[in-house]
Amino acid sequence: MKKNWSEIERHWQKLQGMIAFDLTAPCIVIDQRGELMETTLSNLTNHLRVSTALATPQMKRYMSLAKKVGPEKAMQAMLEAIDQEAEEFLALYNEAKNDIARDCYATVDDLVDAINTARKGFNTNPKKILVIQMNNKDADILLVAPPTQEWSDDLDRED
């Protein structure tokens, strides 16, 4: 983050000027190539691929079950449990598979969590800016403030 602080700092300064928290708060998305993009909380969906199918209760239940018993047994259990809703579940399942194939791993729930994290950072002193670092199949949600002298000295020793 030290390497990117010079790029993040001017966006963080905009956040410092805000009196009340709202969705116009600046935040940063760093893509897999390390490219830094400023956006606002309300525009995060322009930078993150979001799957609505993965956020549905049926898919959450399936994914939880698949972690415990494996995908095949989870599919069988889901279809038996929701016999009358099986067609709807299969449509959601196929949509989720397509989303994942297009690298859509974030859900609306993830966006809500990011906004709540940004709110926490706004309420600290000094305020911290939300930074989302994209990885191959997920993202790290970080709160960033200016590096302290101690932190900066530690990183200088590592370089």
Side-chain angles (χ1 to χ4, degrees), residues 8-157:
I8 294 171
E9 184 174 20
R10 65 186 172 91
H11 308 295
W12 174 80
Q13 288 172 343
K14 290 179 190 176
L15 183 69
Q16 298 311 294
M18 292 183 69
I19 296 169
F21 179 82
D22 63 36
L23 296 181
T24 65
C27 61
I28 304 294
V29 175
I30 302 174
D31 70 12
Q32 293 90 338
R33 297 180 311 277
E35 184 179 325
L36 187 139
M37 298 162 279
E38 180 192 6
T39 189
T40 62
L41 296 174
S42 62
N43 288 326
L44 269 176
T45 55
N46 293 338
H47 299 278
L48 304 176
R49 294 180 182 152
V50 177
S51 169
T52 55
L54 287 171
T56 62
Q58 297 98 319
M59 285 306 299
K60 286 180 182 180
R61 197 164 76 225
Y62 166 76
M63 290 184 293
S64 175
L65 195 54
K67 286 180 185 177
K68 294 175 187 169
V69 299
E72 287 142 14
K73 287 182 181 178
M75 178 62 76
Q76 182 180 1
M78 288 294 294
L79 293 175
E80 288 171 2
I82 58 170
D83 189 36
Q84 295 178 1
E85 298 172 13
E87 202 171 304
E88 178 185 349
F89 170 72
L90 288 173
L92 287 170
Y93 177 83
N94 288 328
E95 183 181 337
K97 269 180 49 177
N98 289 336
D99 288 346
I100 290 169
R102 294 181 303 120
D103 294 329
C104 297
Y105 297 101
T107 66
V108 173
D109 296 341
D110 296 327
L111 290 175
V112 170
D113 289 344
I115 291 168
N116 287 334
T117 300
R119 179 178 284 117
K120 288 177 190 169
F122 186 85
N123 293 325
T124 62
N125 187 17
K127 293 175 184 167
K128 295 180 181 176
I129 191 167
L130 177 73
V131 175
I132 299 179
Q133 172 70 57
M134 301 303 297
N135 303 312
N136 286 335
K137 295 191 181 213
D138 63 1
D140 295 323
I141 298 175
L142 311 164
L143 289 173
V144 178
T148 64
Q149 187 59 44
E150 180 181 303
W151 182 77
S152 184
D153 290 344
D154 287 344
L155 287 176
D156 286 339
R157 281 187 230 124

